[in-house]
Amino acid sequence: MQPKMVINHLEFYYTKKQALFDLCLEVPENKILALIGPAGSGITTALRALNRLYELTPGARAAGEVLLDGKNIHDGDVSVTRLRRRVGMVFDVPTPLPMSIIDNVTYGPRLQGSAKKSKKALAALAEQALTQATLWDEVKDRLNTPAMSLSGGQQQRLCIARVLALRPEVILLDRPCSGLDPISTAKIEDSLTKLKQEFTIVIAPHNVQQAGRVADRVAFLLSGRLIEEGRTAEVFANPRDERTSDYITGRFG
């Protein structure tokens, strides 16, 4: 099976400071790839490079290729707006919009032209997205209440549903369980294992243990360089590089 995304010799700079060095990595389709490493390893930068979100940061620039279905996302004929619909992002801090739960979920589809859909069709889309984010049963009787009334874990699942409503092909998650309680974390992890049947997922996990629970493959980055990549079980059980072993076992990071 062809990979969904391919990163070829990606280098990244914030003005003069280099954050990624010659990164080469494949993102397999309908799998969960976890990017792990200590703070300052360039993981968030790598995620933002996959849908050109870094372009919102002054002075940030990338060199190299990022291919989505074989097409370089930096080609001049690539629509950044469409790219970010195809490759959606969920951030570490939940950011519900100041509106109702259902309006949060349907906001994106309405913006991209789905406003022509009937109210019934938008409601069905919202139910599907909330169900996939394992939130529907908790909010189905209060869809018109403010999203900010939800708990932190529910708000994060709402943000996941908001991305899912746009029907992306790839979902990027930057420490989506940071600061959440174990029950909320477990619900998000459960949803991810189901979502990979339909979507390709790249996650910067909350911790190494989370990578072990949810990821099919794992890539270990250190100081902006890829140290090791492979099947999660193999990397965790028999890492090829001593630095990988030290990180996984908690000797640093």
Side-chain angles (χ1 to χ4, degrees), residues 9-12 18-24 222-226:
H9 305 290
L10 179 66
E11 306 215 324
F12 195 93
Q18 189 166 358
L20 292 175
F21 299 81
D22 196 31
L23 179 62
C24 296
L222 184 63
S223 300
R225 292 178 169 84
L226 177 64

Side-chain angles (χ1 to χ4, degrees), residues 58-223:
R61 59 186 177 91
E65 285 187 328
V66 177
L67 307 179
L68 174 60
D69 290 333
K71 173 72 171 176
N72 189 354
I73 67 172
H74 294 105
D75 284 352
D77 60 346
V78 171
S79 163
V80 176
T81 301
R82 184 167 183 270
L83 170 66
R84 291 176 186 159
R85 285 202 297 264
R86 295 180 67 192
V87 185
M89 183 114 176
V90 178
F91 301 97
D92 56 341
V93 178
T95 53
L97 300 171
M99 53 183 67
S100 70
I101 293 169
I102 191 165
D103 284 343
N104 261 266
V105 181
T106 59
Y107 181 75
R110 293 199 311 269
L111 272 187
Q112 72 172 36
S114 297
K116 296 178 181 178
K117 288 186 177 181
S118 68
K119 188 174 181 180
K120 183 177 180 180
L122 285 171
L125 178 64
E127 179 177 350
Q128 179 187 30
L130 288 165
T131 299
Q132 289 179 316
T134 65
L135 187 58
W136 174 252
D137 288 340
E138 297 169 44
V139 302
K140 61 184 179 183
D141 297 323
R142 50 178 175 142
L143 293 173
N144 292 311
T145 59
M148 297 303 293
S149 67
L150 297 174
S151 69
Q154 289 173 327
Q155 287 184 20
Q156 188 63 295
R157 282 180 282 148
L158 177 65
C159 291
I160 293 173
R162 200 168 64 203
V163 170
L164 293 174
L166 289 169
R167 312 313 298 162
E169 298 166 40
V170 181
I171 304 171
L172 312 175
L173 301 111
D174 189 3
R175 296 177 176 83
C177 301
S178 176
L180 300 186
D181 62 88
I183 293 175
S184 296
T185 296
K187 288 182 178 180
I188 288 176
E189 290 179 0
D190 180 60
S191 70
L192 294 181
T193 59
K194 296 173 183 175
L195 288 172
K196 73 177 182 180
Q197 305 302 319
E198 186 174 347
F199 306 95
T200 298
I201 298 172
V202 186
I203 182 172
H206 178 50
N207 51 38
V208 173
Q209 291 75 24
Q210 184 173 64
R213 290 191 297 267
V214 304
D216 299 290
R217 301 187 70 85
V218 63
F220 173 53
L221 276 68
L222 184 63
S223 300

